Amino acid sequence: MYNCDSGEFDSDYFERGPVVGKSLYTNYRWLPELTIPLAHHIAIDCQLNSDAKVCDFGCAKGYLVYALRLLGYKAYGVDISEYAVSKAPKEVNGHVSCIEPCTSFGTYDWIICKDILEHIPYENIAEQLDVLSANCKHLLAMIPLGDGEKYFIEAYEQDSTHVIREDLGWWKDTFEQSGFKVYYSTHDMGPYKENWQNLHPEGNGLFYLDGNL
């Protein structure tokens, strides 16, 4: 298990990020007009049915979990931030929880990794992906991309917890080395992250993977 300081993801990170130089988040809150459409698109893209068990890995305050549950899906979430999980809506109590890095947190039909894998240290990403691939049938990942030194979208540098700045090919190879089968990867984010897509056509990567469950 790698040493990831969950204390980095505190109230400053989620509520005052730009002011304290930690993140892009300001007053991170429930925005149904954004999160419910996100959940809807994920459900369509992943072809979720009512029996599918879904986990948002790195769920923060659990808003995507809440949105998926509002749409009728069996959604759960995990995160290393005690602060974020403590602020989750009461409607998802019992469905979101804190975990330690690289520990198993159950088995799922789908695991969603939206803007989370880039936070993991290079030396530990394989270990974390091994855990994910062993515990899911499928995984959907959305990841900021870079050239190995800088992100293609400069604003991503403003998050002090971002670590991995690699391109689509690097991530594809890394997923495959951890046992995933990459059945689709693209720079075209479709309905996701449209505001960032306009800044740089290769600024983000979208991956659909088969796990080993």
Side-chain angles (χ1 to χ4, degrees):
M1 183 178 70
Y2 58 87
N3 180 22
C4 185
D5 182 7
S6 61
E8 291 183 301
F9 303 98
D10 57 7
S11 60
D12 280 343
Y13 182 87
F14 288 100
E15 318 303 345
R16 298 173 291 279
V19 174
V20 299
K22 273 194 168 186
S23 73
L24 292 166
Y25 293 115
T26 298
N27 187 23
Y28 183 55
R29 61 201 181 279
W30 168 241
L31 296 172
E33 68 275 17
L34 296 180
T35 311
I36 292 176
L38 170 64
H40 171 71
H41 288 305
I42 288 174
I44 291 175
D45 286 351
C46 297
Q47 299 181 355
L48 298 183
N49 57 50
S50 58
D51 294 324
K53 189 178 178 184
V54 185
C55 182
D56 182 14
F57 178 72
C59 68
K61 296 184 181 181
Y63 296 143
L64 179 57
V65 177
Y66 184 28
L68 284 166
R69 285 192 162 267
L70 286 175
L71 296 178
Y73 299 104
K74 297 176 181 177
Y76 302 85
V78 295
D79 202 283
I80 65 169
S81 171
E82 293 184 6
Y83 170 78
V85 170
S86 74
K87 299 299 181 181
K90 60 180 176 56
E91 291 85 354
V92 296
N93 283 351
H95 303 301
V96 298
S97 59
C98 276
I99 60 166
E100 294 291 332
C102 293
T103 56
S104 181
F105 49 91
T107 58
Y108 300 90
D109 295 290
W110 279 90
I111 290 178
I112 310 301
C113 294
K114 181 181 180 297
D115 299 312
I116 188 68
L117 297 178
E118 69 276 8
H119 295 268
I120 298 171
Y122 277 93
E123 61 269 24
N124 303 115
I125 187 63
E127 181 185 9
Q128 181 64 74
L129 291 180
D130 286 346
V131 172
L132 295 177
S133 67
N135 288 282
C136 72
K137 294 180 180 178
H138 312 285
L139 187 143
L140 170 63
M142 305 177 202
I143 307 173
L145 302 178
D147 61 7
E149 295 183 0
K150 293 183 178 181
Y151 288 108
F152 295 131
I153 296 175
E154 186 177 356
Y156 288 141
E157 299 292 346
Q158 296 178 36
D159 191 316
S160 64
T161 68
H162 280 171
V163 178
I164 300 180
R165 296 165 168 81
E166 299 292 347
D167 61 16
L168 197 78
W170 185 93
W171 277 105
K172 182 179 179 180
D173 291 343
T174 301
F175 283 130
E176 290 176 341
Q177 290 165 12
S178 291
F180 282 107
K181 178 182 177 182
V182 180
Y183 65 88
Y184 188 64
S185 61
T186 181
H187 292 113
D188 184 356
M189 300 300 291
Y192 308 114
K193 307 180 79 166
E194 291 178 320
N195 56 325
W196 298 111
Q197 184 94 358
N198 293 331
L199 292 175
H200 197 295
E202 297 184 357
N204 291 280
L206 182 64
F207 300 84
Y208 295 87
L209 315 171
D210 287 334
N212 291 315
L213 187 62

